[in-house]
Amino acid sequence: MKNIIALPLLLSVIFLSCAQSSTSEKEQKTELATKHNKPTSDLEVTTPSNLKKAYFASGCFWCVEAIYESINGVKEAISGYSGGTTINPTYEEVSRGNTGHAETVEVIYDPKKVSFKTLVKAFFDSHDPTTLNRQGPDSGTQYRSIAFYNTNEEKKIIEDYVAELKHNKTFKKPIVTEIKKFDVFWEAEGYHQNFEEENPLNPYIQSVSKPRLEKFKKEFNKSKE
């Protein structure tokens, strides 16, 4: 009898998605009533001259943000939206899949400590680039895989690394990652920032995000040995 009762609870954890988890969190936070997205583009100089920005979309941005902030040389990772057409989109709009945006992370890093190529490697090491519009329990175009580039040099680094993955047959299925010119990044609502750190007991964080982060750190550190 105990196993029968526990099954629905287990299934609820397995099928938890980033969007569903956010809805429950959203109801607990009064700040959600205020929308304060901020756009940035590659033309804006918003960081010190010794730092650079890179943009990656590989599923729920709570997970991706935590992954990049675990890398030495990354000063900060910010959750937001990119790759779409709607101006100043809300999380609800992006979640409906009608804006063209993907959940994206802006990575602010020191190129003297970590290279763009290493960030690209971390991108491919931390998610499945062969699943179209899906990562784990999260499905929809907002969860698609995109590696953004600001310069032709960055584009070549991404393309060369993809070619290397294909040559080594790292993945059994075709890579469906988009290689896209960066345009505009819209910073997500405040409650999304540092979500994993501030909500360690959240069911999605416990069952999806933390295991993904730990797996990445283990494999990423191993590859550097």
Side-chain angles (χ1 to χ4, degrees), residues 184-225:
V184 175
F185 173 82
W186 298 92
E187 185 174 323
E189 295 82 349
Y191 71 97
H192 286 299
Q193 310 305 330
N194 299 311
F195 191 91
E196 179 169 320
E197 180 181 349
E198 296 185 9
N199 301 274
L201 300 181
N202 178 278
Y204 181 89
I205 297 301
Q206 287 284 327
S207 62
V208 180
S209 188
K210 281 190 175 180
R212 179 178 171 183
L213 173 61
E214 292 306 314
K215 179 181 178 182
F216 164 75
K217 290 195 294 186
K218 181 180 179 180
E219 295 299 323
F220 192 68
N221 290 330
K222 184 188 298 183
S223 68
K224 294 189 296 183
E225 295 176 354

Side-chain angles (χ1 to χ4, degrees), residues 92-164:
E92 289 77 10
E93 290 170 337
V94 173
S95 295
R96 286 195 290 268
N98 298 324
T99 70
H101 291 286
E103 291 194 9
T104 302
V105 167
E106 177 182 70
V107 181
I108 302 173
Y109 68 102
D110 184 345
K112 291 184 178 180
K113 294 181 179 180
V114 60
S115 66
F116 180 76
K117 182 176 180 179
T118 297
L119 298 181
V120 170
K121 182 180 185 304
F123 168 75
F124 284 102
D125 283 359
S126 62
H127 81 297
D128 185 350
T130 71
T131 54
L132 184 64
N133 301 329
R134 171 179 287 277
Q135 282 302 310
D138 301 311
S139 63
T141 56
Q142 69 271 28
Y143 298 115
R144 69 191 188 276
S145 174
I146 311 176
F148 293 92
Y149 63 90
N150 280 303
T151 65
N152 288 332
E153 180 183 2
E154 289 182 351
K155 181 182 181 183
K156 187 176 187 305
I157 289 173
I158 298 169
E159 291 175 337
D160 286 350
Y161 194 72
V162 170
E164 181 181 330

